[in-house]
Structures are given as C-alpha cells and as structure tokens.
C-alpha cells in the first residue's frame, strides 16, 4: 500500500509540474502555444526529464552526453514553435532552419568517438546510434509525394542521417517509422547494458528504460500530430532564415543554450544580375533572325591576313577580354593547427578490469598473459599486428582493426568483431559466441572444443570458418552472404541461396 501511495504522489507531482508550464494547463487554453508544442513540452517534462535525472545520478560521460541530447531536443522544440507560427518555407530556407538540429546530432556522435575508452562506452553508443531520430522533422510532404527537403541542395545532415533519409525516401517515407528504425539501432547496445548490469546496478537498468521511453513517446507524439511530416501553420508569415518565435521555456526543462551565430551575409554582387541581363540580350539578338547580320561590317581583301601577309608582321591591337582559364594553385595553409593531427600513441594497458590495446601498428609480438575471468579486452584501431591473449577472459572486442591476427585461449562470454577488415581469429580453447558486424574479410579458426560455437554475422562479407580435421589441418567453409525470402502464406521463410551456399 505504501508503495502504491508513493507512486500516486509522484504521478500527481509530475502532472502539477506539467500544468505549471506555459500552455500546459489541462484546459488546453494556452496563449500563443500550439497544441502540438504543448504535447512536446509534456514529453520534455516527462521521459526526457527522467532521463536527465538518472543520467546525472550515473554521472561522468553519461551526464555530459545527456546534456548534449537535451540541447538537441530544445533545438527541435524551437523549430516546432516556429512551424506553429509560420507557413512552410522554401527548400533552401528550411535546410538552414534545420542546421541547429543537425549540428547538435553531430556533437552527440563526435563525443562518443572521442571517448571510445570510456567505461560507459555502451551508454554513449546507444545514444549516438539513435540520436539521428531527431531528424524526423526533415521528412515532409512534397508536391510530388513524400520525401525530404534539403537533400537536393546543400547537405546539412550528418552522414548517418543522410543515408537513413535516402532509405526511407525509397521505402517508408514517414517520420514515425524513421524514429522506430533509429531506436532499433540503439537496442544492440542497450541490451549489452542490461546484460552487464541486470543483477548488479539497478540504476543502469532504469537509465536504459528512461532513455528508450523518449523515442517510444516521440513515436506516439509524431503519430498524433505529424503523421506525414512536420505540420506548419496555415496562417502567419512564411518562415525565413533568422526568424524568431517568442516562446517561454517549457516546464521541467532548462533554458536552451544559445544557438550558433548566423552565417555571414554574402557580399553584395551584381554578377548574377549582369549574367541574367547578358543572356536576355543574347536571346533577343538570336530571335532577330536574318536581321542579326545587319550590324556587321564588310571586310575588304586588304584587311584579310591570308591575302595581305604584311598584316601578320604588324603589331595589332592588344586583345582584351577574360584571360584563359588556369587551374588555381592550392593555397598554403596559414594555420598549422589545421594540419592533420598526429597519430595517437600505441597503448597496451590494464584499466580497471579492461585491457586496452589501441593504435598498434606493425606490432607482431603483442601478448596479454596475466588475465582473470572478470577482465575484458578492447582492441581498437590496430593495423598489421598480432595479439595473443593467454588464460581465460570474459570477452574480447575488435573495433576498427585492419589486418589483425588474434589468438586466444578461452572466452566465457563473446568475441565481437566490429567495423574491421582482413582479420584472422583463432580459438585455442573454447568460446560460446562470435559476433561479426560490419566487417569485410574475416577468418575464424575453431578448435576441437569450440565446434559448437555460434557465429552471428550482419552487414559483413568474405567470412570463412575453418574447422580442424583429424590430421591437424583445417577445412575452410564460407559463411553465406546471400539469402532468399519468400512468403509461404503464413510467414516469411528465409533460406540460403544456392550461389551463396
């Protein structure tokens, strides 16, 4: 009973917080705030506020990441307020209005890339993989059907969001399914968090639930207010670059950070006007027909160089007009700080319970021997090297490696190979699972005691599994990459195609 009363008190407290914000009262009679902006404020005061709260409790990189996510959501709220008070702008203006959201998405993803050694890397990865969901506002209804504004002009989206945009342009061009796709991208990492902390730290489990609930609620919000794309006002002025919409900060949310400075105004030039006038005059001359030759002057024989060779030796008038085209010379880089940053130093060390092997090149004698069952190994950006891990270890991850050879004894968890190329992995003892993801070229040598190993692959190619024979040699088997899917009347049935199997 006490637990039920406590839950009811929290629910009432949250509702009171929501109603205290501008335009958030239950009667819906907000002044100057559209209904879908009010609904977005409720999302900020609910799931987002809970996510921010738990992230602060976790602290460290997770807290910093959450602040970046919050800034992106506030940028999105600013666009929603503008859309509620303005009519839909042109394509170029719309892509400019979307820049703050796109730039904040990039900030979130860059933070993850700069902190690959973080103890909470799975948390950062879950957020980084799903944050492009904020780009749902880019999916709009165009005159020729559903699509994206801004993709034909200046690219303002991060690469990941741009690829996803093209996919949905061809498949299911609606914002709701797009957010669902981005949420699924985070599930790989959130499942790893749940597996690691399920019986260890309940706060981490609550963090996963709070974060995923943001995108779940956002899908419901989009389905109700923006099913086919961002809804713009039917009245009011057309939105322009730099337009401001007066709006108060939503309840339960901190004021948004100042946005990036506006781009410098282009220098006044009349070149485009002159070109247009010149083209108009040219077409007017052409349309004159035979009359165009009336202004030509007759050239007599004494003025022709082939009939009067003496003219060739005379200095003629200096030719005027534009100079012939010459390729521009590359400008010298005046700022040495903009040069390519030096390579990170090689690393092989034990940090807590994690062995970090990073940035190794042409190292053929890397050995980790003093291992324990609770330790993990993270191998990142190693090239043309070999690594041997002795003893029994919890898990091994190869990330962004190229031409790497790995030999290990026993792994009680999983061996993961991600974003790598031309890697060879040999099991001397036993391993239950090997995961290959986004990798081109992977050879897995199994031992007699690891023949029951499960090999899971996705978005990879040139994979081969080598099984030992009684004579001590290995027999090579390719992992299928091509499949055939058919509908049998009740469900989809997927089989390996003959060309791949």
């Amino acid at each position: 009973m006490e637990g039920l009363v406590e839950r009811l008190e929290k629910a009432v407290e949250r509702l009171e917080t929501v109603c205290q914000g501008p335009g958030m009262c239950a009667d819906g009679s907000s002044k100057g705030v559209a209904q879908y902006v009010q609904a977005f404020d409720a999302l900020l005061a609910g799931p987002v506020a809970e996510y921010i709260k738990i992230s602060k409790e976790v602290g460290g990189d997770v807290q910093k990441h959450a602040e970046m996510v919050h800034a992106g959501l506030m940028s999105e709220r600013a666009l929603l307020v503008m859309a509620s008070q303005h009519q839909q702008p042109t394509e170029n203006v719309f892509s400019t209005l979307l820049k703050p959201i796109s730039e904040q998405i990039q900030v979130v993803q860059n933070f993850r890339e700069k902190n690959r050694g973080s103890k909470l890397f799975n948390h950062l990865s879950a957020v980084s993989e799903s944050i492009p969901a904020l780009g749902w506002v880019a999916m709009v209804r165009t005159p020729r059907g559903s699509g994206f504004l801004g993709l034909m002009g200046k690219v303002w989206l991060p690469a990941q969001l741009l690829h996803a945009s093209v996919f949905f342009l061809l498949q299911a061009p609606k914002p709701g399914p797009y957010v669902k796709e981005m949420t699924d991208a985070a599930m790989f990492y959130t499942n790893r968090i749940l597996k690691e902390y399920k019986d260890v730290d309940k706060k981490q489990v609550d963090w996963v639930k709070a974060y995923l609930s943001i995108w779940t609620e956002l899908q419901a919000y989009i389905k109700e207010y923006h099913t086919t794309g961002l809804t713009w006002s039917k009245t009011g002025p057309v939105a322009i670059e730099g337009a401001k919409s007066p709006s108060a900060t939503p309840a339960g949310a901190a004021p948004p950070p100042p946005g990036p400075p506006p781009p410098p105004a282009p220098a006044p030039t009349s070149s485009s006007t002159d070109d247009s006038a010149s083209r108009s005059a040219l077409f007017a001359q052409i349309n004159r027909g035979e009359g165009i030759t009336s202004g030509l002057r007759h050239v007599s024989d004494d003025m022709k160089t082939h009939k009067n060779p003496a003219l060739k030796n005379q200095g003629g008038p200096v030719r005027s007009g534009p100079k012939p085209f010459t390729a521009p010379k590359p400008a010298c880089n005046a700022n040495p700080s903009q040069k390519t940053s030096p390579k990170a130093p090689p690393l092989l060390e034990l940090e807590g319970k994690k062995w970090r092997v990073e940035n190794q090149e042409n190292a053929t004698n890397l050995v980790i021997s003093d291992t324990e069952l609770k330790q993990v190994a993270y191998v990142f950006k190693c090239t043309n090297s070999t690594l041997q891990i002795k003893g029994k270890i919890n898990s091994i991850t190869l990330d962004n490696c190229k031409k790497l050879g790995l030999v290990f004894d026993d792994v009680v968890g999983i061996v993961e190979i991600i974003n790598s190329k031309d890697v060879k992995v040999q099991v001397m003892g036993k391993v239950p699972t090997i995961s290959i993801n986004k990798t081109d070229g992977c050879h897995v040598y199994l031992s007699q005691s690891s023949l029951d190993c499960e090999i899971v692959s996705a978005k990879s190619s040139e994979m081969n599994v080598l099984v030992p024979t009684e004579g001590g040699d290995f027999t090579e088997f390719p992992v299928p990459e091509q499949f055939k899917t058919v509908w049998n009347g009740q469900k989809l049935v997927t089989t390996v195609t003959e060309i791949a199997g």
Side-chain angles (χ1 to χ4, degrees):
M1 181 61 71
E2 293 180 358
L4 179 60
V5 172
E6 184 178 353
R7 290 175 59 190
L8 289 173
E9 289 178 350
K10 288 183 178 180
V12 172
E13 181 181 354
R14 178 173 296 179
L15 289 174
E16 290 175 348
T17 302
V18 171
C19 288
Q20 290 173 0
M24 299 304 297
C25 297
D27 58 1
S29 58
S30 59
K31 296 182 179 180
V33 181
Q35 186 177 1
Y36 65 72
V37 176
Q38 299 176 39
F40 193 80
D41 286 344
L43 188 148
L44 293 175
V48 176
E50 184 70 12
Y51 159 68
I52 298 295
K53 175 186 174 184
I54 300 178
S55 296
K56 288 182 179 179
E57 295 175 358
V58 175
D61 293 335
V62 170
Q63 180 179 356
K64 296 177 183 178
H65 223 199
E67 294 171 355
M68 300 174 187
V69 173
H70 183 262
L73 289 165
M74 295 307 296
S75 297
E76 188 149 285
R77 181 187 186 274
L79 179 63
L80 292 173
V81 173
M82 176 175 290
S84 68
Q85 301 176 0
H86 296 77
Q87 297 185 46
Q88 183 172 333
T90 61
E91 177 181 341
N92 292 335
V93 173
F94 186 40
S95 60
T96 302
L97 297 176
L98 287 164
K99 282 183 179 179
I101 299 175
S102 174
E103 291 171 353
Q104 196 60 34
I105 292 174
Q106 200 69 52
V107 168
V108 172
Q109 294 179 330
N110 289 341
F111 184 82
R112 173 232 190 172
E113 296 302 320
K114 294 177 181 178
N115 294 274
R116 284 188 167 270
S118 173
K119 297 180 180 179
L120 301 173
F121 181 70
N122 286 332
H123 297 66
L124 305 185
S125 298
V127 175
S128 180
E129 291 294 327
S130 55
I131 194 63
L134 293 179
W136 70 267
V137 291
M139 310 184 72
V140 298
R141 180 71 66 178
T142 61
R144 294 185 180 180
S146 298
F148 285 81
L149 289 181
L151 291 182
M152 298 302 295
K154 186 175 182 181
V155 177
W156 40 263
L157 292 172
Q160 296 89 338
L161 182 54
L162 178 60
H163 297 329
S165 301
V166 175
F167 172 79
F168 275 98
L169 181 62
L170 299 175
Q171 301 294 331
K174 291 183 180 181
Y178 172 70
V179 174
K180 177 64 166 58
E181 181 76 10
M182 293 299 101
T183 306
D184 292 343
M187 298 296 288
F188 175 78
Y189 294 98
T190 55
N191 288 340
R192 294 175 67 176
I193 298 172
L194 294 175
K195 182 179 179 181
E196 182 178 358
Y197 294 100
K198 183 177 180 181
D199 300 322
V200 179
D201 190 349
K202 184 177 181 297
K203 185 185 302 180
Q204 306 291 348
V205 177
D206 293 339
W207 181 90
V208 171
K209 294 179 180 179
Y211 179 71
L212 293 180
S213 68
I214 295 176
W215 306 122
T216 303
E217 293 297 327
L218 182 61
Q219 292 176 53
Y221 166 81
I222 292 172
K223 184 177 181 181
E224 183 173 357
Y225 297 101
H226 310 277
T227 306
T228 59
L230 179 60
T231 303
W232 292 83
S233 174
K234 302 298 182 182
T235 60
V238 177
I240 60 175
E241 181 180 353
K244 296 182 179 180
S245 302
S247 60
T249 303
T269 175
S270 59
S271 59
S272 59
T273 305
D274 295 342
D275 292 343
S276 178
S278 300
R279 286 194 296 270
S280 300
L282 174 62
F283 286 118
Q285 291 283 341
I286 294 175
N287 291 334
R288 292 173 57 189
E290 295 182 357
I292 194 173
T293 61
S294 61
L296 299 180
R297 187 180 63 173
H298 176 69
V299 180
S300 59
D301 290 344
D302 59 344
M303 299 173 63
K304 300 176 182 178
T305 56
H306 66 284
K307 291 189 176 182
N308 191 359
L311 292 177
K312 296 182 179 180
N313 300 326
Q314 299 177 3
V318 179
R319 178 180 177 179
S320 61
K323 296 181 180 179
F325 170 79
T326 56
K329 297 180 179 180
C332 296
N333 192 353
N335 188 0
S337 63
Q338 294 180 354
K339 295 181 180 180
T340 305
S341 58
K343 295 182 179 179
L347 181 67
L348 196 161
E349 67 177 13
L350 178 61
E351 184 181 87
K353 297 180 180 179
K354 177 189 291 186
W355 283 98
R356 294 177 58 187
V357 185
E358 302 179 5
N359 306 308
Q360 299 283 351
E361 291 189 9
N362 303 317
T364 58
N365 56 350
L366 300 174
V367 179
I368 298 177
S369 56
D370 188 14
T371 58
E372 297 179 4
L373 184 60
K374 295 183 179 180
Q375 293 176 348
V376 300
Y378 179 69
V379 187
F380 173 68
K381 228 170 189 179
C382 294
T383 305
N384 198 26
S385 302
T386 58
L387 171 64
Q388 182 179 4
I389 301 178
K390 299 180 180 180
K392 186 175 292 186
I393 197 170
N394 186 279
S395 65
I396 302 174
T397 300
L398 304 186
D399 189 358
N400 257 304
C401 295
K402 185 177 181 181
K403 295 183 179 180
L404 176 73
L406 171 67
V407 181
F408 63 91
D409 291 341
D410 296 285
V411 170
V412 298
I414 185 174
V415 174
E416 294 180 279
I417 306 168
I418 308 172
N419 297 322
S420 297
K421 186 175 182 179
D422 296 334
V423 296
K424 295 183 179 180
V425 178
Q426 182 169 4
V427 188
M428 304 302 294
K430 188 174 181 62
V431 59
T433 306
I434 296 178
S435 173
I436 308 173
N437 193 20
K438 298 180 182 179
T439 295
D440 296 326
C442 181
H443 288 70
V444 178
Y445 293 79
L446 298 178
S447 64
Q448 286 289 349
S449 58
S450 63
L451 294 180
D452 58 345
C453 169
E454 293 183 355
I455 300 177
V456 182
S457 61
K459 299 181 180 180
S460 300
S461 62
E462 301 178 28
M463 299 171 290
N464 295 278
V465 178
L466 293 94
V467 179
T469 62
E470 294 181 357
D473 296 328
F474 286 89
T475 303
E476 185 174 1
F477 297 93
V479 177
E481 302 173 22
Q482 192 172 14
F483 305 90
K484 178 178 66 177
T485 302
V486 296
W487 174 255
N488 68 354
Q490 295 180 343
K491 63 179 181 178
L492 294 176
V493 178
T494 301
T495 56
V496 177
T497 58
E498 294 182 0
I499 189 174

